[in-house]
Amino acid sequence: MNDIEFDLVIRGQRVLTTAGIVPREVGIIDGRIVALEPFGNNLSGREVIELVDDETLIPGLVDSHVHVNEPGRTEWEGFASATKAAAAGGVTTIIDMPLNSIPPTTNVDALKLKRASAETQSFVDVGFWGGAIPGNTGDLRALHDEGVFGFKCFLLHSGVDEFPHLEVDELEKDLAEIASFDGLMIVHAEDSRAIDRAPNPEGDIYESFLHSRPRGAENVAIAEVIERARWTGARAHILHLSSSDALPMIASAKRDGVKLTVETCPHYLTLLAEEIPNGATAFKCCPPIREASNRELLWKGLEDGTIDCIVSDHSPSTIDLKDLKNGDFGVAWGGVASLQLGLPIIWTEARRRGIPLERVVEWMGSKPAELARLQRKGTLAPGYDADLAIFAADDAFVVDADKLYHKNHITPYQGKTLSGVVRRTFVRGTEVDFSEPHGQLIRRGTA
């Protein structure tokens, strides 16, 4: 291939490939990786980037759990701000959740509105989940045919009235429907009855909020998802696992051949209930950040493969909805904004545990891509999209919320020192410059 001139060549001593971190030269044409050759082959390119000694070229990450909220609640977050945040964090593909926007993505017309909002202002590639709510079983196949990556449902109040939750029998009905076309159901698994019986979360005491969302509520709901998936043969995915209690039954279901996958999030893997100050509503999310002992078991679940992937669950709101003035956990919006920070958050904790960068990128890149059945994302190899990030793993920075790209500058990571800096990001071989959006909208089966 030495006689070919590539659009872009990136070469260096540290390139994260399917063979690990090795010296390589990457040749890119028309937004695809077409050559991956030993370092020193001197591939020719119209543009050539030489990595410096502290830089690793990694595949762009895939975040399959992002709430963009546009249209309808664009003051919470929008496609321009969210996708800039993604790119700054080395995330080159996001899949947008169907709720918090108005209308929610529960039929094809709503999906078209979402796409129209995203089309001209996305700095990374964007796909969409559909929503499963009471009464829209008949819309699921049409949404699937229009290219959504699957369907999200809640088993308790979603937090917004326009996206009502399913009872478990309704869940089973929808699972049977999507099994007929090999769709995927992704589930916010907390049991509404268990939450109703739990203590009230009012006030500024974090422990009171924690008691209001007990692990048992997750465990009961996850058990229901497992059995309904078993009975219907449908693919099911557990969103944002926070209860480590559920790991044994998840592992058992997987051994039994239930088509089950599971994600967790940076906040459950790095933050601790014991360290959250009273009134610190930036930390409020549902299910909640739990105790140190729980966190350790989540890491074990990742390492042994019971948990499949790590995604952000970037769920921002306006500052006033976080009720910072009163710090009332019963009133504040529940959601953590961390889309830009996920890689350094996880890398900081992983390296402390002796976990290599390759595993982190697998959990945050190739595994979410596999979940969504993205054929050309999350891996640095010939044939894949040239979605790449230059990552300085040993560099460090202090989180300053005002310098983050997401729209409302609040984050529970404010003031934390994190390892790992994303220096440059490329989407389909074009560097993200944060002024001209080049991201594309993607559909199931075509990306």
Side-chain angles (χ1 to χ4, degrees), residues 144-157:
H144 177 81
D145 290 346
E146 270 294 312
V148 300
F149 287 87
F151 307 94
K152 181 177 189 177
C153 71
F154 281 74
L155 297 183
L156 81 171
H157 194 283

Side-chain angles (χ1 to χ4, degrees), residues 291-328:
E291 304 85 353
S293 56
N294 185 81
R295 179 181 77 170
E296 294 311 301
L297 291 169
L298 290 178
W299 275 101
K300 285 182 182 171
L302 269 169
E303 292 193 77
D304 68 22
T306 307
I307 300 172
D308 297 274
C309 56
I310 304 171
V311 295
S312 69
D313 188 11
H314 178 71
S315 184
S317 70
T318 55
I319 301 286
D320 61 301
L321 286 176
K322 290 303 267 186
D323 194 43
L324 299 182
K325 183 178 178 182
N326 300 312
D328 188 333

Side-chain angles (χ1 to χ4, degrees), residues 387-443:
D387 297 344
L388 305 163
I390 296 176
F391 185 60
D394 297 328
D395 209 346
F397 68 102
V398 176
V399 176
D400 179 350
D402 288 334
K403 293 180 179 174
L404 300 176
Y405 281 103
H406 68 257
K407 187 167 284 188
N408 291 281
H409 294 161
I410 179 173
T411 174
Y413 301 98
Q414 175 70 12
K416 289 188 181 295
T417 300
L418 299 177
S419 297
V421 172
V422 175
R423 291 187 178 158
R424 302 171 78 172
T425 301
F426 302 80
V427 175
R428 299 173 187 261
T430 298
E431 184 167 4
V432 178
D433 65 3
F434 301 96
S435 61
E436 194 69 36
H438 293 290
Q440 297 184 16
L441 304 190
I442 57 175
R443 296 172 181 243

Side-chain angles (χ1 to χ4, degrees), residues 93-117:
T93 304
I94 65 169
I95 306 184
D96 174 59
M97 284 293 167
L99 75 158
N100 299 345
S101 54
I102 301 173
T105 316
T106 52
N107 56 50
V108 169
D109 287 344
L111 175 62
K112 288 177 178 175
L113 278 173
K114 263 284 177 98
R115 285 189 169 138
S117 296

